[in-house]
Amino acid sequence: MRKIILPLAALGLSVLSVSAQAALPVGAKAPAFVTKGAKAGKETRFDLSAALRKGPVVLYFYPKAFTQGCTLEAHAFAEATPEFAKLGATVVGMSGDDLPTLKKFSTEECRDKFAVAIASPKVIKDYDVALKVDGLPDGLTQRVSYVIGQNGKVVMVHSDSDYRDHVKLTMAAVKKLAR
């Protein structure tokens, strides 16, 4: 048990030294996917194509639920979700966590405001967000935020292990789209 806990506890520190590079540049077509997730503790289905028919999507990847940075990022997105909604945008967090963990995280840390969904190995590969750090398990994602326009194209990318600017920068991109 200790062999698992120590690397995960160190996640917040080790991720800071990882230089995250998102493979999808602005203007790229965002890969479509359908996955399971949770909102307000209930299982849900997230279909990127269906969400884009309603408006832009803020798709943010985070390494692991209930770690310090991911919890703080979820709180920040939860606080901003009503403003994103007023602008017609859907927010969804993505990680390699399992469904029971996402159900709990969606209530406790996302405060029932937005969905979190399973980033399958294919989604992680398609968005090139795999976090590879010695001592950490496979299936973790880098901290990368995308804003995807209704046309399915990436309009903004922010790749940084520090959670603090993700909400501010995605909000600015959504506001620009709304103009």
Side-chain angles (χ1 to χ4, degrees):
M1 180 78 162
R2 190 168 189 212
K3 287 181 180 180
I4 294 172
I5 292 173
L6 289 176
L8 287 176
L11 181 64
L13 297 175
S14 64
V15 171
L16 291 176
S17 64
V18 173
S19 172
Q21 294 294 331
L24 297 180
V26 170
K29 184 79 171 158
F33 64 90
V34 177
T35 190
K36 289 182 180 180
K39 183 176 180 186
K42 295 185 178 17
E43 184 175 331
T44 188
R45 177 178 178 268
F46 181 77
D47 179 333
L48 179 62
S49 298
L52 288 170
R53 286 193 286 275
K54 299 174 189 172
V57 171
V58 175
L59 182 67
Y60 86 92
F61 291 87
Y62 61 94
K64 183 84 178 128
F66 297 108
T67 57
Q68 184 179 7
C70 298
T71 294
L72 293 170
E73 184 177 31
H75 292 176
F77 270 109
E79 288 176 23
T81 295
E83 190 173 353
F84 280 116
K86 284 180 191 171
L87 296 166
T90 299
V91 174
V92 63
M94 300 284 297
S95 75
D97 291 306
D98 62 21
L99 191 56
T101 300
L102 292 175
K103 285 181 176 180
K104 187 175 177 184
F105 193 67
S106 73
T107 295
E108 292 180 18
E109 308 305 348
C110 304
R111 301 175 175 155
D112 300 336
K113 300 284 187 178
F114 63 94
V116 284
I118 297 170
S120 69
K122 181 174 180 359
V123 170
I124 291 171
K125 182 180 179 215
D126 287 350
Y127 282 83
D128 195 21
V129 293
L131 178 61
K132 302 282 186 192
V133 176
D134 289 340
L136 293 179
D138 289 337
L140 298 176
T141 66
Q142 296 177 39
R143 189 175 315 282
V144 180
S145 296
Y146 292 99
V147 174
I148 304 167
Q150 279 192 273
N151 63 359
K153 298 217 175 170
V154 174
V155 297
M156 179 258 159
V157 181
H158 180 61
S159 180
D160 191 337
S161 59
D162 188 333
Y163 75 92
R164 289 179 281 198
D165 286 336
H166 286 263
V167 171
K168 176 180 71 175
L169 294 173
T170 55
M171 182 66 74
V174 169
K175 285 179 178 180
K176 188 175 178 182
L177 280 175
R179 286 188 212 133

